[in-house]
Amino acid sequence: MITLKEGNLRIPRWNRKVFAVAGGLTNYKKFCPEMKLEEQVMVAFRQMLENNDLKLSPVEIKGLVNFLACGEFADHFQDQLLCEAKVTDYLGLDPIYDIGIKTGGATGGSTVLTAAMAVASGYADVALAVGWERMSEVDTRTGNYYIANAACKDFETRLSRIYAAYYAPMAVRFAWAYNLSEETRAKVAVKNHLYAYYSPYSQQPGKYTIQDVLNSPMSTYPLRFLECCAMTDGAACMLLCDEETAYKLTDKPCELFIAGGSHTLRVADRRDMEIPLLPHETADMYKGLRKKEGQRWPGFESFAASRFAAYFAYRMAGITNPLEELDLVELHDAFTISDIQTYGDIGLRPYGQEPDYIESGDAYFDGKCPSNLSGGLIGTMHAVGATGIFQGIECLWQIQGKYDKFHGDPKIWESFGKRKPEDWKSLQVPNAKQALWVSHAGVGSHVTVGILKKAF
Amino acid sequence: MASKGKITKYTGKPAKVLQSEPAIVIEWPRSLAHRHTYGKLSPFFKGLTEGRLLATRCANPECGEHRLWLPPRADCPDCNQPMTWEELPQPVIGTVHTYARVEYAGAGIELTTPYFQVDVELPGVCTIFKGYLQYGTLEIGMKVKACFRTEDPTNTILDIYWIPVVNDADARF
């Protein structure tokens, strides 16, 4: 039994405030032969330095950076050890120290967390969180096998060699335990492919119907291809600073809080445990939760790592009721089911009522707390090492009121060889002040929850 | 000065050019064999080839967890003390906790698709054990029986598989 003690539950505390000021993305696609890895990172780096209305020149800003956190999921994909050195050199940041960060699908979030810790501790005034992945180095099935190495190699990997097969049992169990329909799952896919339609960065935009999703080929039952993210080539970077530098660089800084949680690699090993409660929850809410035979928490239905990360992040940021206080969220929708499971973990709904977040309309653009307006992983990208940075940047731009600037400018579409759709619409959340993003690995082995707060 | 007999020769195989526009993309073949130890879990994998399912239990009387672990662990995660081996009585009958039907598997899959992957609850075991079904279909709550690939073993986790228990005769050893 995992019993959490006082020390385990100590709320993380920055020694000084940390701010996010700028971000940069790339054109996310399945296969990007026209650029090498470091050349793609340069695209994101230039966008971050040149297009975020920063008050110093790119060269001056580079002169302020004194730490890099570099996210990369798998050496298997890059087939190049110490990519960090190549990237730092290519960006012209030598000999600033760069640390490689690796926590599976949560790599991007962990990269931001590491850069934030550097600023919070005083190691750096300005830190760069940069991440990438080149998954096209191998064909898709080989890529599936590589990713399945993030299941237990002795007891799980050989049983499918594809990650959808480790989420599918969770989908089956969740549907049985909490009454989730295939249609609700399909709605998540429809929503996120649609939001990707408005993003120039997106890899899998599309106007699909629920029926299209349900008719798409099966990956592992019950998960269909349109419910799954794809392999991506791409990069992202985010600039973090201390308070003084933040206001020197931008008129629109956002204060950053971020924390993480980890849990067993194998879902099977997750013994029943007490649910760490979020600020708005009470133990009474969960008295009837384990009513069906064999039920346990987090079991196959939920993620203790996400809950633990949210437990910390909400208290760091002073959030007492997430659904009421957050203006938007970016969740890790690698699969429709992982997205839905997370609604309970981060308290958008009580455990057992997760599907209602979609069914109520709260999750949509004009809803109470829209999710994945970026298109998420299903619609826009999962260049793994970059993903948790991309999600944070989309939150940052929303709070800065720059959704249109970064998604609606025809020049951005054209620079990626795309045309802005005639029926493009703005997904700018009016007057967004607080946003949250979840960066998630494995079947919930590592999760970070980041929160950005308007500080202008 | 190097003699002519010591000219450095190219002994590789020229890289295949997969495409040359808009950039040159070459093929970079990889063929590797890793050496992987089952370490202290070796008795478990040996047991499968003998038709036995071995689990571990914490031997420390002060520890709070005294149920079996499957997958086994050599050391208890709660008290960090060594665990002891215990064989599950035959026939090994479990309850389906959840399942999935794999239709599209990754490179190197050793099972014919589609097939069912199954997560099994076992009496007295604190964890849930993942495997595959040899035939039939599954539902949550259904009973399944462990079978072993004792002839021509794979020496991997695929040496244990499950079959549905539909009547009492199926439950016999």
Side-chain angles (χ1 to χ4, degrees):
Chain A
M1 182 79 181
I2 298 177
T3 312
L4 298 168
K5 304 267 169 60
E6 198 184 329
N8 307 132
L9 292 169
R10 177 195 171 275
I11 309 305
R13 193 170 56 233
W14 299 147
N15 281 341
R16 59 175 180 165
K17 290 181 177 183
V18 181
F19 293 81
V21 295
L25 307 176
T26 62
N27 179 23
Y28 298 112
K29 47 200 284 202
K30 184 145 185 168
F31 180 39
C32 179
E34 60 272 26
M35 273 183 269
K36 287 164 62 62
L37 157 76
E38 58 274 28
E39 294 161 357
Q40 277 195 296
V41 177
M42 182 64 91
V43 171
F45 190 54
R46 270 203 297 258
Q47 187 186 43
M48 184 192 82
L49 291 175
E50 296 172 8
N51 301 339
N52 279 262
D53 312 308
L54 297 176
K55 295 191 276 187
L56 294 178
S57 74
V59 171
E60 286 171 316
I61 297 164
K62 279 173 67 174
L64 297 174
V65 175
N66 64 337
F67 181 74
L68 284 86
C70 298
E72 175 194 293
F73 159 54
D75 292 332
H76 299 54
F77 280 112
Q78 272 63 222
D79 203 15
Q80 164 74 65
L81 300 183
L82 292 180
C83 275
E84 300 85 2
K86 288 182 91 167
V87 169
T88 304
D89 162 27
Y90 200 76
L91 299 180
L93 289 169
D94 278 337
I96 310 305
Y97 196 56
D98 56 59
I99 293 185
I101 308 297
K102 227 173 230 44
T103 57
T107 294
S110 299
T111 303
V112 174
L113 170 60
T114 308
M117 290 195 292
V119 173
S121 68
Y123 186 99
D125 282 344
V126 179
L128 181 69
V130 54
W132 56 79
E133 213 73 40
R134 288 283 303 192
M135 307 180 82
S136 68
E137 189 89 4
V138 292
D139 65 76
T140 297
R141 280 195 198 251
T142 305
N144 291 139
Y145 173 44
Y146 280 178
I147 295 167
N149 282 286
C152 173
K153 68 190 279 186
D154 289 322
F155 293 96
E156 295 178 326
T157 302
R158 284 176 185 273
L159 283 165
S160 56
R161 299 179 186 239
I162 185 167
Y163 229 78
Y166 306 113
Y167 271 94
M170 301 182 119
V172 169
R173 182 80 190 178
F174 192 103
W176 175 85
Y178 297 152
N179 199 23
L180 168 70
S181 71
E182 298 209 310
E183 285 73 17
T184 305
R185 275 203 342 258
K187 283 179 187 175
V188 174
V190 169
K191 174 175 78 66
N192 297 356
H193 283 290
L194 174 66
Y195 292 162
Y197 179 81
Y198 304 111
S199 169
Y201 311 98
S202 72
Q203 175 180 356
Q204 301 199 110
K207 291 183 165 179
Y208 297 107
T209 63
I210 292 172
Q211 229 14 265
D212 291 336
V213 175
L214 295 178
N215 290 341
S216 72
M218 197 65 80
S219 173
T220 292
Y221 172 87
L223 298 174
R224 292 156 173 96
F225 274 85
L226 282 175
E227 296 183 71
C228 307
C229 62
M231 306 277 172
T232 311
D233 285 354
C237 50
M238 192 187 221
L239 198 64
L240 305 186
C241 335
D242 70 307
E243 189 165 12
E244 192 187 328
T245 315
Y247 288 96
K248 206 184 287 173
L249 286 179
T250 178
D251 294 329
K252 297 185 171 179
C254 288
E255 193 173 356
L256 171 69
F257 305 91
I258 183 166
S262 299
H263 207 186
T264 65
L265 183 59
R266 296 187 299 248
V267 176
D269 289 32
R270 294 176 187 165
R271 293 170 289 167
D272 194 26
M273 62 183 280
E274 207 174 301
I275 303 173
L277 297 174
L278 300 180
H280 66 294
E281 292 178 333
T282 61
D284 278 357
M285 287 168 66
Y286 296 129
K287 269 186 178 156
L289 190 72
R290 300 167 178 87
K291 58 184 178 288
K292 292 194 175 180
E293 206 185 326
Q295 256 181 298
R296 47 183 80 193
W297 186 90
F300 278 67
E301 292 88 342
S302 303
F303 303 115
S306 312
R307 171 47 66 112
F308 204 54
Y311 177 94
F312 282 152
Y314 287 148
R315 289 170 169 93
M316 286 171 87
I319 287 181
T320 53
N321 191 333
L323 191 68
E324 301 298 329
E325 295 164 39
L326 295 169
D327 297 300
L328 67 139
V329 295
E330 286 287 332
L331 308 179
H332 189 92
D333 56 331
F335 305 98
T336 50
I337 186 63
S338 61
D339 196 67
I340 292 167
Q341 288 170 283
T342 303
Y343 307 158
D345 296 322
I346 62 169
L348 295 174
R349 282 294 182 278
Y351 283 120
Q353 296 172 38
E354 290 89 337
D356 187 57
Y357 173 58
I358 290 293
E359 293 299 338
S360 67
D362 282 357
Y364 289 81
F365 171 60
D366 46 8
K368 201 167 189 178
C369 179
S371 83
N372 295 22
L373 297 172
S374 69
L377 283 64
I378 284 179
T380 293
M381 67 85 100
H382 194 17
V384 187
T387 305
I389 303 171
F390 147 79
Q391 295 169 294
I393 292 166
E394 292 277 1
C395 290
L396 174 71
W397 287 343
Q398 280 280 359
I399 299 173
Q400 291 179 325
K402 293 181 182 176
Y403 177 89
D404 292 11
K405 173 184 166 78
F406 285 108
H407 301 83
D409 182 350
K411 288 200 197 92
I412 297 177
W413 291 82
E414 282 155 25
S415 74
F416 297 154
K418 298 175 184 175
R419 181 180 291 184
K420 183 180 168 186
E422 307 243 317
D423 57 347
W424 181 87
K425 77 169 194 183
S426 170
L427 299 180
Q428 174 67 53
V429 175
N431 200 21
K433 290 192 183 72
Q434 300 197 100
L436 166 150
W437 83 100
V438 171
S439 184
H440 172 118
V443 272
S445 70
H446 300 71
V447 178
T448 66
V449 170
I451 294 167
L452 284 168
K453 276 187 167 202
K454 185 175 178 176
F456 54 94
Chain B
M1 213 173 98
S3 71
K4 267 200 162 179
K6 297 224 170 157
I7 287 172
T8 304
K9 290 180 186 163
Y10 172 74
T11 58
K13 203 174 148 200
K16 191 170 152 191
V17 175
L18 298 173
Q19 65 180 72
S20 35
E21 293 298 332
I24 299 170
V25 179
I26 60 160
E27 191 172 71
W28 194 304
R30 282 269 183 264
S31 175
L32 306 164
H34 283 236
R35 280 183 296 213
H36 175 60
T37 181
Y38 287 137
K40 291 179 180 175
L41 298 188
S42 297
F44 169 84
F45 288 95
K46 182 163 180 284
L48 296 186
T49 67
E50 297 164 350
R52 303 190 305 140
L53 186 56
L54 295 169
T56 54
R57 193 191 297 278
C58 184
N60 174 10
E62 321 255 298
C63 183
E65 181 62 84
H66 290 289
R67 291 175 294 174
L68 290 164
W69 286 80
L70 201 64
R73 300 173 180 227
D75 300 295
C76 175
D78 290 350
C79 68
N80 306 115
Q81 296 306 302
M83 304 229 255
T84 51
W85 287 100
E86 215 168 288
E87 185 182 341
L88 268 70
Q90 300 271 3
V92 177
I93 306 285
T95 306
V96 176
H97 186 77
T98 188
Y99 63 88
R101 193 177 68 238
V102 181
E103 306 221 353
Y104 174 100
I109 190 71
E110 298 151 284
L111 302 169
T112 51
T113 52
Y115 61 89
F116 278 94
Q117 199 189 81
V118 60
D119 297 280
V120 184
E121 295 168 22
L122 289 160
V125 176
C126 71
T127 47
I128 293 165
F129 190 61
K130 192 183 279 297
Y132 70 98
L133 193 73
Q134 194 189 40
Y135 60 82
T137 56
L138 292 171
E139 269 176 46
I140 290 174
M142 215 177 102
K143 299 288 177 204
V144 286
K145 184 171 87 169
C147 300
F148 301 88
R149 198 181 153 94
T150 51
E151 280 179 35
D152 198 18
T154 67
N155 306 311
T156 70
I157 193 61
L158 302 181
D159 286 338
I160 180 169
Y161 56 90
W162 300 83
I163 59 170
V165 174
V166 285
N167 55 46
D168 290 348
D170 293 330
R172 264 176 234 138
F173 180 36

